[in-house]
């Protein structure tokens, strides 16, 4: 357990972290949950393992926590990562695949996603962590952190890739009963300490994302967790 009640799943290697996250995804898919996928590169292996372990995702529905404003086949697209590592490897597709249409531009894509999320229940949120403490496309000290009524908003990038973003908001991400951060590697150790071992604050957006009515877990390898007590 970290100081703010986040359950810490500390494993030795990156592969073990991916396997743990894959297991969570598979359980959620089998249970027909609404799953919010993360972008970035870290979840790629977890997606592969999850597809291997359970090729039938017919009961699940998929959402994305954030997206880069690029076409879905662009190599920077979060949807593309999930398609290549997960969806293309399944025998049965999820009953709903709610991707963020980044190619519409940030304003229009965010408005469309916000409407799609109206009344939607999110069950399991998978998130990553940037070295600056961002999660999804919620960057440090940005106005996106103060949004309380919309579920998705446009966002400006503060790190590479420097393309406009669309991100779920703090209340949307916190609405899920299961929030799982998957974080690996030494380069994230300081951000992990700030997000999970220090008081929450707008300078570390990931510290603001905690399940409002359920469980938040941090799945980290020993390198990423090295600065936690
Ligand atoms: C994105 C994200 C972002 C990501 C972190 C970690 O679209 O960029 O969703 O929040 O999860 O930046 O990225 P890596 O896994 O590539 O380190």
């Amino acid at each position: 357990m970290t100081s703010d009640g986040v359950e810490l799943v500390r494993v030795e290697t990156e592969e073990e972290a991916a396997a743990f996250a894959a297991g969570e995804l598979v359980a959620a898919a089998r249970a027909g949950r609404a799953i919010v996928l993360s972008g970035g590169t870290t979840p790629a292996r977890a997606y592969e393992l999850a597809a291997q372990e359970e090729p039938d995702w017919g009961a699940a529905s998929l959402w994305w926590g954030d997206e880069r404003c690029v076409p879905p086949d662009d190599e920077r697209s979060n949807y593309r990562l999930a398609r290549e590592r997960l969806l293309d490897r399944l025998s049965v597709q999820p009953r709903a695949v709610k991707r963020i249409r980044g190619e519409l531009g940030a304003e229009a894509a965010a408005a469309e996603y916000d409407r799609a999320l109206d009344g939607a229940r999110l069950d399991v949120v998978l998130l990553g962590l940037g070295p600056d403490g961002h999660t999804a496309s919620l960057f440090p000290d940005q106005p996106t952190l103060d949004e309380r009524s919309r579920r998705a908003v446009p966002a400006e990038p503060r790190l590479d890739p420097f393309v406009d973003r669309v991100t779920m908001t703090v209340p949307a991400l916190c609405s899920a009963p299961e929030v799982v951060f998957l974080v690996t590697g030494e380069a994230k150790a300081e951000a992990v300490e700030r997000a999970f071992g220090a008081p929450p604050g707008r300078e570390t957006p990931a510290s603001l994302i905690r399940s409002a009515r359920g469980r938040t877990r941090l799945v980290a390898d020993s390198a990423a967790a090295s600065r936690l007590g």
Side-chain angles (χ1 to χ4, degrees):
M1 202 66 95
T2 68
S3 52
D4 64 353
V6 175
E7 235 176 82
L8 173 59
V9 180
R10 193 195 294 249
V11 294
E12 208 48 46
T13 65
E14 202 174 319
E15 182 69 9
E16 287 172 282
F20 185 92
E24 293 300 304
L25 289 172
V26 165
R30 286 179 178 151
R33 304 282 189 239
I35 304 169
V36 180
L37 296 180
S38 144
T41 52
T42 308
R45 182 67 180 145
Y47 294 163
E48 285 175 10
L49 293 172
Q52 240 168 54
E53 199 176 322
E54 178 55 83
D56 179 351
W57 279 48
S61 47
L62 290 189
W63 298 82
W64 274 260
D66 75 320
E67 185 55 280
R68 291 89 180 262
C69 291
V70 294
D73 56 352
D74 188 286
E75 60 181 21
R76 295 164 295 183
S77 160
N78 286 337
Y79 167 74
R80 176 176 161 168
L81 177 92
R83 182 172 57 69
E84 288 182 347
R85 304 303 182 102
L86 177 67
L87 297 174
D88 284 354
R89 299 167 189 231
L90 299 178
S91 55
V92 182
Q93 291 296 303
R95 64 184 170 79
V97 176
K98 308 275 197 181
R99 80 170 177 89
I100 302 172
R101 294 201 299 153
E103 68 274 22
L104 300 178
E107 290 288 341
E112 181 181 83
Y113 217 53
D114 186 47
R115 282 193 300 274
L117 281 162
D118 189 5
R121 193 195 72 233
L122 304 175
D123 298 309
V124 179
V125 169
L126 180 68
L127 289 169
L129 177 69
D132 60 349
H134 82 263
T135 193
S137 282
L138 295 167
F139 290 93
D141 298 313
Q142 293 298 298
T144 47
L145 297 171
D146 306 318
E147 179 62 45
R148 289 293 171 268
S149 48
R150 282 179 291 176
R151 294 142 292 233
V153 291
E156 281 174 26
R158 283 290 186 270
L159 277 186
D160 190 48
F162 288 97
V163 288
D164 286 348
R165 313 288 186 97
V166 172
T167 187
M168 281 193 190
T169 55
V170 173
L173 293 169
C174 294
S175 72
E178 288 281 354
V179 172
V180 180
F181 285 89
L182 173 62
V183 189
T184 58
E186 206 189 326
K188 304 284 178 69
E190 198 197 322
V192 165
E193 185 182 26
R194 282 170 43 204
F196 302 101
R202 299 175 83 258
E203 67 289 351
T204 310
S207 71
L208 305 175
I209 309 301
R210 302 291 184 261
S211 172
R213 54 194 176 93
R215 175 165 65 160
T216 304
R217 281 176 295 171
L218 165 64
V219 182
D221 65 355
S222 53
S226 60
R227 292 171 70 134
L228 286 181

